């Protein structure tokens, strides 16, 4: 059994295939990675099941922005958990905060119950919560498998002190999955500093759209400049990360 994890965050079939080619252990599947990721569609999930053999955890998030959700959004999330459980997802990635920055443990317990025997992870709502140590103990008590975190900083390297503390105080009771700004070079620094063996990366690169005709003066999305740029996973970055982890935790 492997004693390290390299998870790749993907929002399309091409990126999932690249993650598999690079040797990733699993993917976190979302839509619209460019805005931080929201819930993926069932057809996208099915396509990735069709073209890869990877473990799939689905990120479930009803919208961009903060993690204080309405009752309607909570019901939406809970139904999505049930749908992806029925579809055969290996896990789900969820999170929710109260207005005061504490974890909404009531809803998180509900999500865990609906997930059943699927793996369940707390996403980066953790990184904007009030008290990370208290939150860690709460999700451990709820039976969650993973905390996805940058150590409450813009990048995992900047959050390395908290990541190290989380790794030490979790004592193997929950997976600490380091995220944000993760690259082969950063992993090589974080492993000896924190002892963390699980990493989450997009490995993203920008490629040009296949469009040759480009109407100027009209923005279709985030900006006109970005309309003809596609974000994809770089299999070489995934492979370099996996190779290092394999050697480090052999």
């Amino acid at each position: 059994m492997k004693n390290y994890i390299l998870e790749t965050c993907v929002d399309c079939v091409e990126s999932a295939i690249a993650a598999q080619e690079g040797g990733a252990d699993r993917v976190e599947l979302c839509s619209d990675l460019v805005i931080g990721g929201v819930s993926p569609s069932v057809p996208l999930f099915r396509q990735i099941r069709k073209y890869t053999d990877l473990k799939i955890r689905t990120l479930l998030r009803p919208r961009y922005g903060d993690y204080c959700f309405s009752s309607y959004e909570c019901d939406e999330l809970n139904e999505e958990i049930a749908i992806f459980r029925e579809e055969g997802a290996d896990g789900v990635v969820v999170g929710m905060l109260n207005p005061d920055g504490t974890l909404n443990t009531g809803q998180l317990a509900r999500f865990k119950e609906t997930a059943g025997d699927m793996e369940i992870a707390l996403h980066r709502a953790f990184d904007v919560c009030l008290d990370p140590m208290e939150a860690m103990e709460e999700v451990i008590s709820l039976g969650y498998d993973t905390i996805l975190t940058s150590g409450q900083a813009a990048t995992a390297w900047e959050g390395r002190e908290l990541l190290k503390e989380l790794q030490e105080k979790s004592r193997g009771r929950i997976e600490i999955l380091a995220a944000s700004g993760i690259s082969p070079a950063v992993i090589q620094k974080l492993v000896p500093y924190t002892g963390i063996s699980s990493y989450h990366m997009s490995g993203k690169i920008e490629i040009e759209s296949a469009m040759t005709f480009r109407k100027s003066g009209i923005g279709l999305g985030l900006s006109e400049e970005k309309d003809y740029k596609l974000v994809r996973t770089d299999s070489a970055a995934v492979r370099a990360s996996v190779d290092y982890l394999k050697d480090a935790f052999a």
Side-chain angles (χ1 to χ4, degrees):
M1 182 177 178
K2 287 183 177 179
N3 51 4
Y4 67 87
I5 292 289
L6 195 288
E7 176 181 275
T8 306
C9 185
V10 303
D11 63 359
C12 64
V13 178
E14 292 90 342
S15 286
I17 292 172
Q20 178 160 283
E21 290 173 347
D25 297 287
R26 67 182 181 229
V27 292
E28 180 194 78
L29 176 61
C30 66
S31 289
D32 295 329
L33 185 54
V34 71
I35 58 168
V38 292
S39 300
S41 69
V42 170
L44 176 58
F45 174 86
R46 290 174 178 170
Q47 287 290 301
I48 290 175
R49 268 282 184 254
K50 179 179 179 180
Y51 291 107
T52 78
D53 299 317
L54 290 165
K55 288 183 66 175
I56 304 174
R57 287 181 175 183
T58 55
L59 171 71
L60 301 179
R61 186 178 174 213
R63 56 168 170 77
Y64 72 94
D66 66 38
Y67 302 109
C68 187
F69 300 129
S70 70
S71 60
Y72 305 110
E73 290 169 326
C74 289
D75 289 347
E76 178 185 344
L77 285 168
N78 202 55
E79 186 169 344
E80 286 180 325
I81 293 169
I83 288 169
F84 282 105
R85 184 188 64 197
E86 185 67 25
E87 286 291 323
D90 296 284
V92 290
V93 185
V94 296
M96 186 172 176
L97 299 177
N98 294 311
D100 64 0
T102 59
L103 290 185
N104 187 322
T105 54
Q107 288 294 344
L108 293 176
R110 177 192 183 198
F111 297 159
K112 167 63 178 171
E113 182 178 2
T114 303
D117 59 2
M118 277 196 300
E119 296 171 357
I120 187 164
L122 177 69
H123 60 44
R124 292 189 64 204
F126 181 86
D127 282 330
V128 291
C129 77
L130 180 66
D131 186 330
M133 291 303 160
E134 180 181 354
M136 180 179 72
E137 294 300 331
E138 287 175 335
V139 292
I140 289 172
S141 69
L142 289 171
Y144 277 55
D145 300 287
T146 301
I147 295 173
L148 176 69
T149 175
S150 64
Q152 294 204 323
T155 67
W157 181 245
E158 293 172 86
R160 61 191 179 277
E161 295 296 341
L162 180 56
L163 287 173
K164 182 178 182 180
E165 187 179 2
L166 290 167
Q167 179 70 3
E168 291 170 351
K169 292 187 176 179
S170 65
R171 302 189 305 278
R173 294 174 294 155
I174 195 166
E175 177 187 44
I176 303 300
L177 181 60
S180 188
I182 298 297
S183 67
V186 170
I187 291 174
Q188 289 178 38
K189 294 191 293 183
L190 283 173
V191 167
Y193 193 86
T194 66
I196 289 174
S197 59
S198 296
Y199 292 88
H200 168 101
M201 68 185 298
S202 61
K204 59 180 180 288
I205 52 173
E206 279 192 350
I207 64 173
E208 289 291 323
S209 161
M211 286 291 297
T212 54
F213 173 74
R214 302 184 178 189
K215 185 74 172 179
S216 64
I218 299 176
L220 304 177
L222 294 175
S223 71
E224 183 182 352
E225 179 186 357
K226 294 289 187 180
D227 282 343
Y228 300 101
K229 302 284 187 183
L230 302 176
V231 175
R232 296 289 184 264
T233 295
D234 179 12
S235 61
V238 176
R239 173 57 63 192
S241 300
V242 169
D243 287 346
Y244 173 78
L245 289 170
K246 190 181 298 183
D247 289 340
F249 293 98

